Amino acid sequence: MNALAATSRNFKRAATLLGLDSKLEKSLLIPFREIKVECTIPKDDGTLASFVGFRIQHDNARGPMKGGIRYHPEVDPDEVNALAQLMTWKTAVANIPYGGAKGGIGCDPGELSRSELERLTRVFTQKIHDLIGIHTDVPAPDMGTNPQTMAWILDEYSKFHGYSPAVVTGKPVDLGGSLGRDAATGRGVLFATQALLQEHGKSVSGQRFVIQGFGNVGSWAAQLISEAGGKIVAISDVTGAIKNSKGLDIPSLLKYSRENRGIKGFDGGDAIDPKSLLTEDCDVLIPAALGGVINRENANEIRAKYIIEAANHPTDPEADEILSKKGVLILPDIFANSGGVTVSYFEWVQNIQGFMWEEEKVNAELQSYMTKGFRDLKEMCGTHACDLRMGAFTLGVNRVARATILRGWEA
């Protein structure tokens, strides 16, 4: 099942539980605006190249729209639509004053030089500058983009609208980026895991973890979990997978991975087949890489008691059903990985105030948002007698629906 079908299905189930009016339900699903622009740039060799850029702005009932911009050769409109919609529910679950959006450019960033990427980013910004803005739509980095991309968008946007650091988040710290933003999603995963385990009378310390993915989110989650006393018994990335039942030495692994561009060949553990990683024996499984990795093929073999969805949409709906029958608890992505967008919100707030926070304040505020978010989520589970995923969806959809009705959507 693709991301859009799964997200829409979750939304419809939440709408049914909440007893939403069918007209309102339909209105909430349709994106507010879809933008598609042609971006033509001169390449370094003097030839012209054309790319398609787009932005899907899903909903702005609760505030400016928020979401990433990805540079990827196969940007599928359906997937971007699903991700924009997911951002609407995610920001509502996190209880930050935003709606959802997503966008990108269909290009292969690996094939473009730095100066070509800069020209492409600037042309894209010129085409959409009047449709984004501090109080309209605030982009952020995603696959294939980074703080430098945000710096170019900020500069180009500011040529039209005056210096506006709050127009994008995930910026370099020197241009108004927030301290703690880099680790935010991984740190949020730690706080989410702590909240779930605490509910069951456990703590991170002494639990055995398996983490799929060692990019930004996976590596920060691994580092912070091991600092909190968790034992990480297996990890994989694009190069391979390793396990060590006594626990991997994360600081050494981080150093090795930086120097060798991957974890393959690390001598502090045994190489295993990356496909078998998800079914390794552990207490907590954290998929932090791609979507759709837990499906009906492998769900029966999963031995973890808890799954924390650090990636977007890692569990297929079919796997969801198999796992819940087995009694596995799944903390859904729209809550578990919302640390990133929450600290993006803090960055935006700091930029609007023109007053930057210390990193301790950022981390403390994040912990308070995540802990409160988990309590709200559990309350919805109680009200609607549903699992954690539906608890999160009903929480998010209900907040957006209430804002929509209060603003007067029928007028």
Side-chain angles (χ1 to χ4, degrees):
M1 185 180 284
N2 74 13
L4 183 60
T7 308
S8 301
R9 171 174 142 159
N10 286 330
F11 166 77
K12 289 195 171 77
R13 284 176 60 194
T16 306
L17 280 174
L18 291 163
L20 289 191
D21 170 16
S22 63
K23 293 191 289 297
L24 176 61
E25 183 182 329
K26 191 172 179 206
S27 158
L28 287 176
L29 263 186
I30 300 169
F32 167 75
R33 183 196 278 146
E34 297 191 19
I35 304 153
K36 207 169 186 183
V37 293
E38 174 240 4
C39 302
T40 300
I41 57 158
K43 294 189 71 171
D44 293 342
D45 62 9
T47 61
L48 289 179
S50 290
F51 304 91
V52 176
F54 52 90
R55 183 81 174 157
I56 293 180
Q57 298 175 330
H58 179 256
D59 190 277
N60 61 0
R62 297 181 64 258
M65 293 162 288
K66 187 92 192 72
I69 287 183
R70 51 177 55 184
Y71 288 3
H72 193 268
E74 281 130 51
V75 179
D76 169 36
D78 260 7
E79 189 187 12
V80 175
N81 220 316
L83 292 168
Q85 191 197 128
L86 210 54
M87 284 303 295
T88 298
W89 317 132
K90 185 185 286 189
T91 50
V93 169
N95 209 11
I96 54 181
Y98 286 143
K102 205 77 170 184
I105 301 178
C107 68
D108 184 347
E111 308 257 303
L112 296 168
S113 70
R114 184 184 159 96
S115 61
E116 287 167 343
L117 280 169
E118 177 173 352
R119 286 197 289 276
L120 182 56
T121 304
R122 289 182 184 279
V123 168
F124 182 50
T125 308
Q126 286 165 17
K127 298 276 174 105
I128 65 165
H129 76 88
D130 51 349
L131 298 168
I132 61 172
I134 299 169
H135 300 294
T136 315
D137 177 5
V138 181
D142 200 311
M143 279 162 58
T145 55
N146 56 30
Q148 178 60 69
T149 321
M150 298 304 109
W152 291 328
I153 295 177
L154 160 63
D155 183 70
E156 198 60 35
Y157 180 87
S158 296
K159 289 176 185 174
F160 296 94
H161 302 273
Y163 182 61
S164 319
V167 73
V168 286
T169 59
K171 298 182 293 293
V173 173
D174 293 333
L175 286 176
S178 178
L179 297 172
R181 175 66 188 89
D182 189 45
T185 310
R187 193 176 296 276
V189 168
L190 169 71
F191 293 150
T193 308
Q194 283 171 330
L196 181 66
L197 290 173
Q198 208 173 341
E199 176 86 8
H200 296 271
K202 301 185 170 118
S203 73
V204 167
S205 179
Q207 297 288 311
R208 294 164 308 142
F209 291 80
V210 166
I211 301 179
Q212 181 192 42
F214 205 59
N216 170 282
V217 182
S219 61
W220 274 111
Q223 185 179 330
L224 296 165
I225 286 166
S226 77
E227 283 169 11
K231 189 157 82 168
I232 294 161
V233 294
I235 284 186
S236 70
D237 70 358
V238 287
T239 63
I242 46 171
K243 74 179 269 194
N244 181 342
S245 49
K246 294 190 182 70
L248 291 157
D249 177 351
I250 300 300
S252 311
L253 181 61
L254 282 162
K255 185 169 181 284
Y256 179 90
S257 160
R258 270 196 297 271
E259 289 164 2
N260 299 277
R261 308 192 77 157
I263 64 174
K264 190 179 182 183
F266 179 67
D267 58 9
D270 305 318
I272 54 168
D273 178 7
K275 287 193 181 68
S276 72
L277 180 96
L278 296 169
T279 57
E280 283 296 324
D281 187 24
C282 64
D283 302 305
V284 184
L285 172 63
I286 304 182
L290 297 167
V293 293
I294 301 173
N295 46 45
R296 58 169 182 239
E297 271 77 58
N298 60 11
N300 275 314
E301 273 76 73
I302 285 177
R303 290 188 271 179
K305 301 173 194 69
Y306 305 97
I307 296 175
I308 313 286
E309 296 189 332
N312 279 323
H313 188 64
T315 318
D316 254 10
E318 289 132 333
D320 247 356
E321 283 167 25
I322 297 169
L323 290 163
S324 72
K325 284 197 186 87
K326 285 176 60 169
V328 178
L329 286 180
I330 303 175
L331 199 57
D333 50 2
I334 64 170
F335 169 70
N337 67 23
S338 64
V341 71
T342 303
V343 175
S344 280
Y345 162 59
F346 300 160
E347 179 180 333
W348 180 77
V349 166
Q350 291 169 78
N351 295 153
I352 287 173
Q353 291 186 332
F355 180 81
M356 305 309 285
W357 302 349
E358 295 295 332
E359 189 168 350
E360 290 73 28
K361 178 170 163 77
V362 174
N363 294 344
E365 289 285 347
L366 174 60
Q367 184 159 21
S368 132
Y369 266 80
M370 297 289 296
T371 312
K372 172 97 172 65
F374 185 73
R375 281 204 304 270
D376 294 345
L377 192 164
K378 286 297 291 185
E379 197 179 309
M380 284 307 249
C381 293
T383 307
H384 298 289
C386 59
D387 64 1
L388 293 164
R389 189 181 309 282
M390 271 306 110
F393 265 89
T394 50
L395 177 63
V397 171
N398 191 41
R399 281 178 175 154
V400 178
R402 279 170 42 186
T404 304
I405 291 163
L406 284 166
R407 289 183 63 164
W409 69 288
E410 288 174 304

